């Protein structure tokens, strides 16, 4: 068996066997197959596609190329959630404590943000002393005792995917559903969960811009998970505007706390209730989605979700004082409103541009080595369908640099499109695949 023959085989549109895929991934990961041959294979896949069986075999080979987390010491059905990323996506901060409060074990590995989308760990580090460097024993103890822990991804989690993704990024082979799905699911399968609920974003601020492509990606990932023996569900959610109102690390943490206290934005609440219902049912903590949703709603109302969040943050070194008094979290030096110069209804928000404004202010990373300013960002006051009067605030910008503040205000004003006709608000949940 050699890589040349496998490239020719795939170029002709023939199906690669499990043995051939494992040979390819193993030898590429350990350096025996050069980048130029793997680049040719990736381009052949982009032109000829992969079957469902090939995609599963590719995913498993990448998942098994490094560490495979053993969560068997954690009691119950372990449920993980993955988001394809978006602007203002603080879902995990609310969702984890909500489902944990119902006894669902949330043993989660999360990453940092890169570019205009934020990372869960960056947001959590807004709390003084919070850390994700738990030992295996601490991780398992926390999940068994308080039903929740979040750690950073290990360096050896799906190393084949890291190497392949870096190559895809520079060879024009990123945007193939089979390759995207296998990349995401290889890390999820290596993370050891029994059930996985996916939040697949669609729209301007999402990786997948169209609903059709988002559904195709969700179906591919659900298929991979099921064929790998996992319980799966995927929620397609809107990203044609930021989720909630806050964009920026500490600002999103404050909004998450408000949501856990029962005062969250309507779209964020709807999304976490929908995702959470599927997680609770997958964990067999409710017999139906309706029962699960009712119990989750109660957890927000009676404070049990908030208590679960407090236990989780404190258990990982965070400050209880900052949870109870979020105004003590990192705050920006300059806070200014962005005023609308005309009246109308909000028909469009350039969501990716909103994320890039947060990045400009210092709330994201241009490179992996970039330092993040946890305090900066923006809070939207107007969203799709809202009426705006001339002189009314569209948003508030939080900045620590006056020049960046001025640039951000101008760009944010241009990110809004106002029209005279009333605009119908769109639901945050587009469809569910299970």
């Amino acid at each position: 068996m050699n890589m040349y023959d496998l490239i020719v085989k795939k170029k002709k549109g023939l199906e690669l066997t499990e043995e051939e895929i494992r040979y390819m991934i193993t030898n590429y990961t350990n350096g025996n197959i050069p980048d130029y041959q793997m680049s040719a294979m990736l381009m052949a896949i982009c032109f000829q596609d992969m079957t469902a069986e090939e995609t599963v075999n590719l995913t498993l080979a990448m998942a098994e190329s490094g560490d495979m987390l053993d969560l068997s010491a954690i009691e119950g059905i372990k449920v993980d959630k993955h988001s394809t990323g978006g602007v203002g996506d603080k879902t995990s901060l609310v969702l984890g404590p909500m489902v944990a409060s119902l006894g669902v074990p949330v043993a989660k590995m999360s990453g940092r943000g890169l570019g205009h989308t934020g990372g869960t760990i960056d947001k959590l580090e807004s709390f003084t002393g919070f850390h994700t460097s738990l030992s295996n024993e601490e991780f398992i103890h926390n999940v068994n005792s308080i039903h929740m822990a979040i750690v950073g991804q290990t360096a050896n989690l799906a190393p084949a995917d890291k190497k392949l993704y870096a190559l895809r990024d520079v060879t024009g082979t990123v945007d193939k559903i089979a390759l995207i799905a296998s990349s995401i699911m290889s890390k999820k399968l290596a993370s050891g969960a029994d059930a996985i609920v996916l939040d697949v974003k669609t729209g301007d601020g999402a990786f997948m811009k169209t609903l059709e492509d988002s559904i195709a990606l969700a179906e591919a990932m659900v298929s991979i998970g099921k064929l790998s023996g996992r319980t799966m569900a995927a929620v397609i959610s809107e990203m044609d505007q930021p989720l909630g109102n806050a964009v920026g690390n500490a600002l999103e943490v404050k909004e998450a706390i408000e949501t856990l206290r029962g005062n969250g934005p309507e779209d964020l609440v709807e999304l976490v209730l929908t995702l959470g219902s599927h997680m609770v049912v997958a964990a067999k903590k409710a017999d139906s989605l309706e029962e699960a949703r009712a119990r989750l709603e109660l957890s927000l109302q009676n404070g049990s979700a908030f208590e679960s969040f407090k236990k989780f943050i404190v258990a990982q070194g965070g400050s209880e004082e900052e949870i109870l008094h979020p105004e003590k979290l990192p705050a920006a030096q300059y806070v200014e409103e962005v005023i609308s110069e005309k009246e109308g209804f909000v028909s469009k928000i350039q969501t990716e541009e909103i994320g890039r404004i947060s990045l400009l202010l210092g709330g994201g990373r241009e490179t992996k080595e970039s330092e993040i300013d946890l305090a900066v960002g923006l809070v939207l006051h107007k969203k799709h369908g809202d009426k705006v009067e001339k002189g009314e605030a569209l948003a508030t910008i939080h900045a620590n640099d006056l020049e960046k503040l001025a640039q951000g205000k101008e760009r944010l004003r241009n990110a809004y499109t106002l029209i005279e006709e009333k605009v119908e608000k769109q639901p945050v949940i587009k469809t569910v695949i299970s």
Side-chain angles (χ1 to χ4, degrees):
M1 190 183 303
N2 64 74
M3 190 61 173
Y4 175 88
D5 291 337
L6 298 186
I7 294 168
V8 172
K9 184 177 181 179
K10 178 44 68 178
K11 185 179 73 171
K12 292 178 179 178
L14 301 176
E15 186 173 353
L16 300 175
T17 66
E18 180 182 1
E19 184 184 8
E20 288 169 336
I21 289 172
R22 285 192 176 274
Y23 164 85
M24 176 176 74
I25 293 301
T26 299
N27 283 281
Y28 179 62
T29 306
N30 63 26
N32 291 334
I33 291 173
D35 280 351
Y36 62 82
Q37 283 192 312
M38 185 55 80
S39 297
M41 174 60 78
L42 291 169
M43 193 58 75
I45 290 169
C46 284
F47 281 116
Q48 296 290 0
D49 211 346
M50 302 186 90
T51 65
E53 189 171 347
E54 279 181 303
T55 307
V56 170
N57 288 332
L58 175 62
T59 307
L60 290 172
M62 291 197 296
E64 294 165 13
S65 66
D67 296 337
M68 295 286 287
L69 259 65
D70 179 8
L71 302 182
S72 58
I74 296 174
E75 301 158 13
I77 298 170
K78 279 71 73 178
V79 186
D80 199 358
K81 164 259 174 190
H82 175 79
S83 169
T84 56
V87 179
D89 186 5
K90 70 283 295 176
T91 310
S92 293
L93 304 181
V94 181
L95 182 62
M98 275 176 55
V99 298
S101 72
L102 302 189
V104 176
V106 181
K108 188 164 179 55
M109 294 184 93
S110 289
R112 297 187 180 278
L114 185 61
H116 72 279
T117 58
T120 298
I121 290 177
D122 296 316
K123 293 167 190 175
L124 288 168
E125 286 179 350
S126 297
F127 289 107
T128 304
F130 184 90
H131 64 89
T132 55
S133 55
L134 301 178
S135 69
N136 214 38
E137 293 73 23
E138 288 173 320
F139 182 64
I140 289 168
H141 170 77
N142 284 6
V143 180
N144 278 332
S145 59
I146 62 175
H147 306 299
M148 184 175 178
I150 293 180
V151 293
Q153 291 178 357
T154 67
N156 202 38
L157 188 79
D161 174 61
K162 289 186 179 71
K163 198 170 179 184
L164 273 175
Y165 189 86
L167 189 61
R168 287 167 56 211
D169 195 36
V170 296
T171 57
T173 53
V174 169
D175 59 344
K176 189 67 184 175
I177 296 288
L179 296 175
I180 299 168
S182 59
S183 173
I184 293 170
M185 290 302 294
S186 65
K187 294 187 284 287
K188 289 292 108 181
L189 297 182
S191 296
D194 304 309
I196 302 165
V197 176
L198 302 164
D199 178 14
V200 181
K201 306 294 188 186
T202 188
D204 180 77
F207 183 67
M208 291 297 182
K209 305 297 184 186
T210 69
L211 183 58
E212 181 183 13
D213 284 346
S214 300
I215 289 172
L217 176 59
E219 288 177 338
M221 291 192 290
V222 167
S223 175
I224 290 169
K226 285 185 172 180
L227 290 170
S228 304
R230 305 308 199 272
T231 301
M232 297 293 301
V235 174
I236 313 293
S237 66
E238 182 204 34
M239 193 38 71
D240 270 328
Q241 60 181 343
L243 182 64
N245 301 317
V247 180
N249 297 281
L251 294 171
E252 290 186 43
V253 169
K254 291 173 186 177
E255 185 166 82
I257 290 171
E258 279 301 297
T259 305
L260 287 163
R261 283 175 159 165
N263 302 311
E266 187 178 336
D267 57 346
L268 175 59
V269 172
E270 178 59 31
L271 179 58
V272 294
L273 287 174
T274 302
L275 291 167
S277 297
H278 284 278
M279 292 175 75
V280 172
V281 169
K284 300 192 184 304
K285 296 293 185 180
D287 294 326
S288 67
L289 293 172
E290 293 75 19
E291 179 194 345
R293 186 183 179 100
R295 293 185 63 199
L296 289 168
E297 286 174 338
L298 183 61
S299 78
L300 291 177
Q301 293 162 11
N302 66 16
S304 59
F306 178 70
E307 285 301 312
S308 182
F309 180 74
K310 192 163 62 174
K311 289 176 185 176
F312 154 62
I313 295 297
V314 171
Q316 293 192 212
S319 163
E320 181 175 347
E321 184 70 10
E322 290 170 349
I323 301 169
L324 298 174
H325 302 282
E327 67 276 7
K328 295 186 178 183
L329 287 164
Q333 186 177 354
Y334 308 109
V335 179
E336 291 190 15
E337 291 183 337
V338 180
I339 303 302
S340 178
E341 296 174 343
K342 62 179 183 177
E343 67 175 79
F345 293 91
V346 180
S347 67
K348 180 176 175 58
I349 300 174
Q350 295 175 35
T351 310
E352 188 170 328
E353 173 67 354
I354 297 292
R356 295 201 178 280
I357 293 167
S358 179
L359 179 63
L360 162 76
L361 296 169
R365 288 186 180 85
E366 295 279 5
T367 69
K368 288 181 180 178
E369 291 73 35
S370 300
E371 287 285 326
I372 278 188
D373 186 339
L374 295 168
V376 302
L378 50 144
V379 177
L380 305 185
H381 305 310
K382 299 294 181 180
K383 297 186 71 175
H384 280 175
D386 287 345
K387 179 74 166 68
V388 181
E389 301 292 345
K390 184 178 179 180
E392 199 173 5
L394 295 169
T396 299
I397 289 189
H398 297 245
N400 282 321
D401 181 299
L402 284 173
E403 186 178 339
K404 291 177 179 179
L405 172 63
Q407 291 178 44
K409 287 176 73 173
E410 184 63 26
R411 286 174 60 174
L412 193 139
R413 194 176 286 112
N414 292 332
Y416 274 81
T417 300
L418 304 182
I419 62 173
E420 293 181 4
E421 300 80 19
K422 191 172 183 179
V423 178
E424 186 177 342
K425 295 191 177 188
Q426 296 298 310
V428 67
I429 307 298
K430 297 298 185 184
T431 189
V432 177
I433 295 162
S434 61

